[in-house]
Amino acid sequence: MESEAQDSTSNVIQTSRKSLYMIFKESPAKNLDDKVSFMENKLREMMKCPRNEFQTLGHDLRHFKSDLKKRWVSCNYIEDRFMKKNERWLSNSIPVHTWKQNTKPGRPSKDFQELTDRSKRRKTKQLREEVPVEVLTFAASVSQNVSGNAAASKLIKDATSSPTRAKRYRKVINTTQEPKIKKYTSDEALRIFIEGGFRRKQWELQHKSTKDPFISCLRKLNPSKSQPFMRETIELFEPEELDSEVDQSTSLAYSDESD
């Protein structure tokens, strides 16, 4: 049996009830209706069912879904009991439509998640204009839960529960992403400067360009005639100085600092 659908061709195949039950069992949802919806959505993907044929596939599954719910409840949601009690029922098959996309000349169509934001806005324009934002938000939350992403479902529901909740979420995220900067006192910065073996030229370049708080502390110790300690300390890092002079000046700098 073949029928022409929009941009696709459908066929009917025999699908075992057990294979459908295995899809049903994969659902992480606890609610029975959500588990059944998960199975149906998964089957749509497997059968490549176009959106305009969702009703056709739903018609194929209507009796199976009803029987599955009754049998699952009668077994108190216990899998072993369900499998033993319904072994014969599960071994039979039901007719289900499957679709094959017809190839068309030109650029192949992309999945929605592969589209750019601009293309996504264009494709969802009519949906956003016709459906209220509250309905879209609720549908997004339920869809995430049905697909197994319970955390995202709860996040959507919580973030939209009040007008200010989303701002607080964003503020917390931005705060955690900001780098933590340790501020040094002038004495601490100077000690690191000496122990790190910086050269005078290095300090002068960073002194002019950087906004690092460590260098900002060193700026307070401007090498001028009024501050001979910093001037003498920077002279320690001139490459032409002898090691003995460096050691002597370093010792002098530390002794002055401790005083």
Side-chain angles (χ1 to χ4, degrees):
M1 173 182 175
E2 292 192 1
S3 62
E4 288 296 320
Q6 185 178 2
D7 300 329
S8 62
T9 304
S10 67
N11 294 297
V12 176
I13 61 173
Q14 294 296 319
T15 304
S16 68
R17 292 192 179 105
K18 187 173 182 179
S19 64
L20 295 176
Y21 167 73
M22 297 305 291
I23 300 174
F24 166 85
K25 193 177 68 170
E26 290 177 4
S27 172
K30 296 181 179 180
N31 183 273
L32 179 57
D33 289 331
D34 289 343
K35 293 175 77 71
V36 173
S37 297
F38 174 88
M39 177 198 67
E40 188 169 3
N41 290 334
K42 199 76 173 178
L43 195 62
R44 288 172 182 171
E45 296 177 7
M46 294 171 59
M47 300 302 176
K48 298 181 179 179
C49 178
R51 183 172 294 275
N52 62 312
E53 293 290 351
F54 281 3
Q55 187 174 357
T56 301
L57 186 61
H59 187 270
D60 294 339
L61 298 173
R62 70 188 190 283
H63 292 307
F64 171 77
K65 291 191 295 184
S66 178
D67 289 346
L68 177 62
K69 288 181 181 180
K70 292 177 182 178
R71 293 171 185 270
W72 184 249
V73 172
S74 66
C75 294
N76 296 323
Y77 311 99
I78 300 174
E79 182 180 357
D80 292 340
R81 185 182 301 176
F82 177 83
M83 294 293 290
K84 291 179 181 179
K85 190 175 180 179
N86 300 283
E87 183 177 0
R88 186 174 180 180
W89 179 77
L90 290 170
S91 64
N92 294 326
S93 300
I94 63 172
V96 176
H97 280 79
T98 182
W99 286 263
K100 181 180 179 181
Q101 299 296 323
N102 295 329
T103 57
K104 297 189 299 182
R107 182 186 300 177
S109 59
K110 294 183 179 180
D111 293 335
F112 184 79
Q113 59 268 25
E114 296 177 352
L115 298 175
T116 63
D117 289 344
R118 183 178 180 181
S119 298
K120 289 178 180 178
R121 285 194 296 269
R122 186 177 65 252
K123 278 186 171 292
T124 59
K125 181 179 179 181
Q126 183 177 356
L127 180 66
R128 289 182 283 110
E129 290 177 348
E130 295 178 354
V131 182
V133 64
E134 295 82 4
V135 178
L136 290 173
T137 303
F138 180 79
S141 177
V142 174
S143 297
Q144 288 289 345
N145 188 48
V146 170
S147 63
N149 197 351
S153 175
K154 292 179 180 179
L155 185 61
I156 293 173
K157 186 182 296 184
D158 191 39
T160 56
S161 60
S162 70
T164 59
R165 185 64 62 87
K167 291 183 179 179
R168 279 185 279 175
Y169 268 103
R170 187 173 181 82
K171 184 177 180 180
V172 171
I173 293 173
N174 291 339
T175 302
T176 56
Q177 290 178 345
E178 291 178 356
K180 295 183 179 180
I181 300 175
K182 180 180 179 180
K183 294 185 178 181
Y184 297 89
T185 64
S186 298
D187 291 341
E188 290 174 336
L190 181 58
R191 182 181 296 276
I192 295 173
F193 188 79
I194 295 173
E195 293 177 351
F198 287 96
R199 300 287 181 182
R200 179 175 180 176
K201 191 65 177 177
Q202 291 175 321
W203 182 86
E204 288 176 347
L205 291 174
Q206 295 186 32
H207 176 82
K208 295 177 181 178
S209 61
T210 188
K211 295 182 179 180
D212 189 280
F214 168 65
I215 302 300
S216 298
C217 292
L218 291 177
R219 286 174 182 165
K220 297 178 182 179
L221 301 172
N222 186 34
S224 62
K225 293 182 179 180
S226 61
Q227 292 177 310
F229 170 61
M230 186 60 187
R231 188 181 70 254
E232 292 174 5
T233 303
I234 291 178
E235 292 295 337
L236 297 178
F237 307 112
E238 290 297 330
E240 61 269 13
E241 290 185 337
L242 298 175
D243 291 340
S244 59
E245 293 178 357
V246 172
D247 294 338
Q248 183 179 0
S249 300
T250 305
S251 301
L252 178 60
Y254 275 115
S255 63
D256 289 344
E257 184 184 13
S258 60
D259 293 342

